[in-house]
Amino acid sequence: MVRPRSLRALVFDAYGTLFDVHSLVDLCEQIWPGKGAALSQLWRAKQLEYTWQRSLMQRYEDFARITEAGLRYACAALGLQLDEERCRALMGAYLKLSTFPEVRGALAALKASKLKLAILSNGSAAMLRPLVVNAGLRSLMGIVISVDQKKIYKPAPAVYRLATQRLRVPKTAIGFVSSNCWDACGGEVLRLSHLLGSPSAFAPSGSTAAAHP
Ligand code: LAC
């Protein structure tokens, strides 16, 4: 694999970039037929909204609690009964999300090209560790960085600085990969090379990530 000479490390967002949060649709569908896709969409939207609210209020809560709160909201809003057993099953499944099909091959090729690879995620270590292991990515993705150390969520600038601190690589030599456009824009604050962003409704105006989805 050919890579820019200046690039020494690639840092990946986890949820939505490497791991498909909507791989839970099938399980949601089994529990509440006909509602799986709607539940998964609302759950994710609320989960993210809560992270931004918590950061603004400076009242951090662990991502597992945020994720569960998002699930409870989404079920209530859609009129779906969430008992403790269902809640445990869905939260357990969050530790076993599928990766997108191209992820394993791409990471293997990048690792072979001697790039340092890392995850930088909102997820807590207790969520990310099993996620990486269950997906069989442990040998490819040695460094997993959680925002939990900073007690604030993306896209707060302090979070992206964790990547330069932990990797000990200058920020100009780090590529940041996220399919969450607002996250890619957050990475730009530190001038981490922005490599990928998806066309997303969440792109702040004036950002290059918004201009080049
Ligand atoms: C993460 C969220 C933003 O993994 O997807 O940090």
Side-chain angles (χ1 to χ4, degrees):
M1 172 171 286
V2 181
R3 64 171 165 100
R5 273 171 211 271
S6 59
L7 209 57
R8 288 171 51 196
L10 277 180
V11 177
F12 292 82
D13 168 56
Y15 302 103
T17 300
L18 300 175
F19 301 93
D20 183 2
V21 291
H22 300 301
S23 58
L24 291 179
V25 165
D26 287 349
L27 179 56
C28 296
E29 193 64 29
Q30 275 172 36
I31 303 174
W32 296 288
K35 300 286 184 188
L39 174 58
S40 185
Q41 291 294 337
L42 188 54
W43 183 4
R44 171 66 169 168
K46 221 46 193 176
Q47 176 201 49
L48 290 175
E49 185 188 321
Y50 286 156
T51 61
W52 300 325
Q53 288 181 2
R54 287 263 163 200
S55 292
L56 281 170
M57 291 186 290
Q58 300 183 343
R59 279 163 43 193
Y60 179 84
E61 253 198 348
D62 172 274
F63 197 59
R65 290 175 68 97
I66 297 260
T67 301
E68 187 176 323
L71 173 62
R72 290 189 186 280
Y73 174 92
C75 286
L78 295 170
L80 308 175
Q81 205 201 335
L82 181 70
D83 58 24
E84 288 314 305
E85 192 184 335
R86 288 170 173 174
C87 185
R88 259 198 309 278
L90 287 163
M91 288 300 296
Y94 225 89
L95 306 177
K96 298 179 186 161
L97 295 173
S98 305
T99 54
F100 290 102
E102 66 276 23
V103 163
R104 165 169 282 284
L107 291 182
L110 290 166
K111 192 171 170 77
S113 77
K114 306 277 184 251
L115 279 166
K116 272 190 183 181
L117 302 182
I119 285 175
L120 172 63
S121 172
N122 276 345
S124 59
M127 291 178 85
L128 293 170
R129 221 177 291 120
L131 190 63
V132 170
V133 170
N134 287 329
L137 297 183
R138 189 73 189 88
S139 60
L140 295 173
M141 193 58 82
I143 303 171
V144 178
I145 308 166
S146 168
V147 306
D148 195 58
Q149 296 171 53
K150 287 283 172 197
K151 305 286 186 242
I152 192 163
Y153 287 105
K154 296 172 177 179
V159 165
Y160 300 95
R161 279 187 214 115
L162 283 172
T164 53
Q165 288 157 9
R166 179 76 183 275
L167 293 169
R168 296 174 190 277
V169 171
K171 61 190 177 189
T172 50
I174 298 177
F176 181 58
V177 184
S178 180
S179 64
N180 296 294
C181 199
W182 53 271
D183 187 22
C185 296
E188 281 182 352
V189 170
L190 288 173
R191 298 184 195 280
L192 299 178
S193 320
H194 163 240
L195 295 182
L196 172 73
S198 67
S200 158
F202 293 118
S205 63
S207 75
T208 55
H212 304 287

